[in-house]
Amino acid sequence: MTIQTIEKKIHGGERLDQEDLSFLFEYPDLLAIGRLANWLREKKNGKKVYYNINRHINYSNVCYVACKFCEFGQPKTSPKAYELSVGEMEEAARQALQEGATEFHIVGGLHPDLKLDYYENLLRAFKRVAPMVHLKAFTAVELDYFAKISRVSVEEVIDRLAAAGLGSFPGGGAEVLTERVRQLTHPNKIGPDRWLQIHRLIHQKGFRSNATMLYGHVETVADKVEHLQKLRDLQDETGGFQTFIPLSFVPEETPMSHIPKPTAMEDLRHIALSRLFLDNFDHIKAYWVMMGLGTAQLSLSFGADDLDGTLMKETIVHMAGTKAPEGVSVSTLINLIKEAGFLPIERDTLYNIVERQAA
Ligand code: V47
């Protein structure tokens, strides 16, 4: 195997296989990989880089699963545990609306006391405050848990949440979709098959969702190859994923703080390889709050075409110890994109272009 054989495949529109991907994970010349990924990204999306004005809302971090990579989730008795009131969340929504938000990204821990009707009421409250704002909410892990704690099927959970205003589903909770990694880092949470099954169901019901992969902890190249293959297979089957988001592990305050944070080189490699292998995903998102704004900006030349987002108040990786800001202004995002030589395009959650009157 050589980089030239892979180059030929990419330029000829041929799919990479698992062997190619394993080779690229170990290939030393990152710039050669980046050039290929950028070529493919320009073929798909030209010079466009999408960004969005969104607000993250984490209703509560009370969670019983204790994943080793996570500091956000806390037992109910922990001094770090919190629960926002609906009033506080409505206020956050009002403020975000004034700042032009088109999306609320709503996720939380697996709370032992809250039942499905709480989440339905929450979505209805957001819709009352901001009827036009898209609600992207609840990971497959939460959906599975809501079904269990309320003794209904996941189908019913999806239907009832959709009736309450939910528009699409985020890609969290996938971690690394192999049983080996699950046993090591999150044995109390749903495994690969269930995560994929729930996304299949979401897509079959006509909704879109995203997919993630949390890298930089105990996973091997073989784990990541398996993960990406499973996502590509499901996307072949349903076409329901909108974007893939590689998540760079933030170790500082977590139970795995002894593991060094992924370097910028590793972050760029994961962006580039996602672009090259996931040929059936339209978008690769650079999530700046985990990799940092500088690396996220660079990643636009390594295959990413989406810079998410203004966020306004990120909590999950701030509790894990990230030094990135909690949110950024729209002008910061636009300037980062322009400075990197790309064309900033504001999108909504479903990648419709947002046109705004000049102020
Ligand atoms: O599922 C938890 C990860 C995810 C840490 O769909 C950590 O548009 C790094 O999924 N270091 C939540 N990562 C975030 C997420 C997401 C983010 C932005 C956009 C979208 C989307 C989805 O964060 C969790 C978990 O995989 N996570 N702890 C940590 N210490």
Side-chain angles (χ1 to χ4, degrees), residues 66-97:
C67 303
K68 290 204 174 73
F69 50 78
C70 182
E71 186 59 16
F72 170 74
Q74 295 287 329
K76 221 173 143 180
T77 48
S78 158
K80 290 186 183 173
Y82 74 82
E83 209 172 302
L84 299 179
S85 70
V86 174
E88 282 171 316
M89 288 188 267
E90 283 174 339
E91 187 45 36
R94 254 179 232 112
Q95 272 176 23
L97 193 58

Side-chain angles (χ1 to χ4, degrees), residues 56 69-70 105 136 170-175 210 212 214 245 247-250 254 285 287 290 308 316-317 320:
H56 279 221
F69 50 78
C70 182
H105 176 139
K136 181 180 76 178
E175 320 317 351
N210 295 333
T212 58
L214 175 63
I245 313 138
L247 301 175
S248 180
F249 180 44
V250 175
T254 73
K285 189 184 279 192
Y287 190 44
M290 290 180 189
D308 181 355
I316 296 179
V317 286

Side-chain angles (χ1 to χ4, degrees), residues 102-159:
T102 59
E103 169 186 289
F104 299 149
H105 176 139
I106 308 158
V107 293
L110 303 189
H111 195 300
D113 304 330
L114 305 176
K115 300 279 189 308
L116 186 54
D117 58 344
Y118 168 86
Y119 301 101
E120 290 174 283
N121 290 335
L122 186 59
L123 295 178
R124 291 206 174 93
F126 284 125
K127 278 292 170 196
R128 271 195 303 277
V129 172
M132 303 304 283
V133 173
H134 183 103
L135 305 181
K136 181 180 76 178
F138 310 128
T139 64
V141 180
E142 288 163 287
L143 298 177
D144 175 77
Y145 183 66
F146 299 168
K148 285 190 180 120
I149 198 164
S150 301
R151 297 177 188 281
V152 295
S153 64
V154 174
E155 285 89 332
E156 183 174 338
V157 169
I158 296 172
D159 291 343

Side-chain angles (χ1 to χ4, degrees), residues 4 19 70 91 112 122 157 186 192 243 250-251 281 286 295 307 322 349:
Q4 285 77 23
E19 217 182 307
C70 182
E91 187 45 36
L122 186 59
V157 169
H186 55 287
T243 179
V250 175
F281 277 65
T295 308
L307 193 56
T322 185
T349 310

